[in-house]
Amino acid sequence: MSKLTVKLGPLELENPILTASGTFGYGKEFAEFINLDRLGGIVTKSLTPNPRPGNPPHRVVEVTGAMLNSIGLANVGVDLFIQDKMPFLQTLECKVIVNIAGESLDEYLIVLTKLETVNNGIDAYEINLSCPNVKEGGRTFGKDPRQVHRITSALRELTNKPLIIKLTPEVSDIGELGLAAQEGGADIISAINTFIGMAINTKKRKAVLGTITGGFSGPALKPLALAKVYALSQVVSIPIIGIGGIFTVTDVVEFLLAGASAVQIGTANYIEPKISEKLVDDLHQYCEENKLESITELIGTL
């Protein structure tokens, strides 16, 4: 077993470095920059039952220490994904996690049911209950523990693959949501999605984003994300994937100490496409320098 191998319930990763949904396309877009098979896994763009063009521009803006996005779950739809994207994903040796989104329970069920017809190449599902950029987009579901439990339970009945529930941080007690997902049958929790933010063009006296508000991500998000991961780790017994402003190996180690068993790299992919593979190398070096037999020695030891 490698020093970097981690086990998240039924999902075993060669290392704890994953890419975050919405920042890494369907994987193939980054294949010319890095060796995808060196990653613990990739998480695809969110899939909905039908193709979505996404939100009107501007969709992305850089702000101090962070960025705002309002992509709006633009994706090819589950049918075209299975036809055009899965053949490439089925060639990968790293884990492939498919992200699912929807505007109703039925939409989540439709997407998962179709993905279950794929014979191989999908290792787990991440359920996006927290997109801030779609009118429904999981916000209503994702903030109500009863709805989180209801959706998780319904999806659990459709698959034996690992089920990862991605939570919104836009609640007063993220632990309640984590427990609802756990009791509904989730194997893993990923946290956090973006906070809602906005930027204003003072010359035009208008919001910069076409949707006025959008998802706030990047280095400025890290302290908030760490606090949410730590809070979750105090109440749930299933593994946590940490997300939020991770750019360096120190950031990765912080999330592991706070209770995450793996991490997802998001905004950093826009700045340095090779960052995820570099973090695998850096984590190996960290283990050597700190004489760790396994990276798991760090998890939840704060």
Side-chain angles (χ1 to χ4, degrees):
M1 179 179 288
S2 160
K3 284 186 174 183
L4 297 188
T5 300
V6 291
K7 198 167 187 305
L8 287 73
L11 184 65
E12 184 170 301
L13 307 177
E14 286 299 311
N15 62 70
I17 304 298
L18 301 162
T19 60
S21 178
T23 68
F24 209 70
Y26 302 98
K28 192 173 185 178
E29 296 88 338
F30 280 74
E32 65 178 288
F33 302 112
I34 64 173
N35 179 357
L36 298 175
D37 287 333
R38 292 202 63 218
L39 306 181
I42 64 173
V43 185
T44 71
K45 289 174 66 70
S46 294
L47 294 179
T48 51
N50 299 308
R52 290 179 62 94
N55 289 332
H58 294 294
R59 291 183 176 189
V60 176
V61 59
E62 185 175 347
V63 295
T64 304
M67 65 176 276
L68 292 167
N69 86 83
S70 176
I71 305 301
L73 297 180
N75 75 95
V76 298
V78 65
D79 293 328
L80 202 57
F81 171 82
I82 293 172
Q83 176 184 315
D84 288 354
K85 309 299 181 184
M86 274 310 304
F88 170 77
L89 294 171
Q90 286 168 331
T91 68
L92 299 180
E93 294 180 4
C94 70
K95 301 298 185 189
V96 173
I97 300 169
V98 177
N99 187 289
I100 298 173
E103 295 185 1
S104 67
L105 174 58
D106 284 345
E107 289 197 357
Y108 287 94
L109 298 179
I110 289 169
V111 176
L112 183 56
T113 299
K114 289 189 175 184
L115 291 171
E116 280 286 284
T117 66
V118 177
N119 290 328
N120 61 77
I122 298 176
D123 296 290
Y125 301 112
E126 182 180 69
I127 310 304
N128 182 357
L129 297 183
S130 54
C131 179
N133 297 323
V134 177
K135 188 174 181 181
E136 295 300 330
R139 278 192 297 174
T140 302
F141 310 135
K143 290 184 177 181
D144 183 345
R146 292 169 300 180
Q147 295 297 330
V148 170
H149 185 280
R150 173 171 168 253
I151 293 176
T152 306
S153 300
L155 295 172
R156 178 76 286 165
E157 292 182 3
L158 297 181
T159 183
N160 292 319
K161 288 191 170 80
L163 203 55
I164 306 167
I165 302 299
K166 188 172 184 177
L167 299 178
T168 177
E170 298 274 8
V171 291
S172 59
D173 185 355
I174 198 169
E176 288 186 353
L177 298 180
L179 284 173
Q182 176 176 292
E183 291 167 3
D187 298 294
I188 305 163
I189 291 168
S190 55
I192 57 174
N193 207 326
T194 54
F195 276 85
I196 294 175
M198 68 182 293
I200 297 173
N201 184 321
T202 54
K203 292 182 178 177
K204 296 182 178 179
R205 301 182 185 181
K206 290 183 177 179
V208 176
L209 292 176
T211 51
I212 300 178
T213 61
F216 179 81
S217 66
L221 186 67
K222 190 184 74 172
L224 304 175
L226 280 169
K228 296 295 185 184
V229 167
Y230 179 73
L232 279 166
S233 74
Q234 302 304 298
V235 297
V236 301
S237 57
I238 56 178
I240 302 165
I241 299 172
I243 317 166
I246 298 171
F247 279 63
T248 69
V249 69
T250 301
D251 298 333
V252 175
V253 171
E254 284 188 75
F255 273 90
L256 297 179
L257 292 171
S261 296
V263 298
Q264 292 181 11
I265 313 304
T267 304
N269 290 312
Y270 294 106
I271 299 168
E272 173 49 73
K274 299 178 180 178
I275 186 68
S276 296
E277 187 175 11
K278 179 179 183 299
L279 287 173
V280 175
D281 292 331
D282 290 350
L283 211 49
H284 268 296
Q285 184 177 347
Y286 179 90
C287 286
E288 293 298 322
E289 291 176 351
N290 289 275
K291 304 186 185 312
L292 296 177
E293 293 187 3
S294 169
I295 196 68
T296 59
E297 294 174 37
L298 299 177
I299 297 172
T301 56
L302 186 66

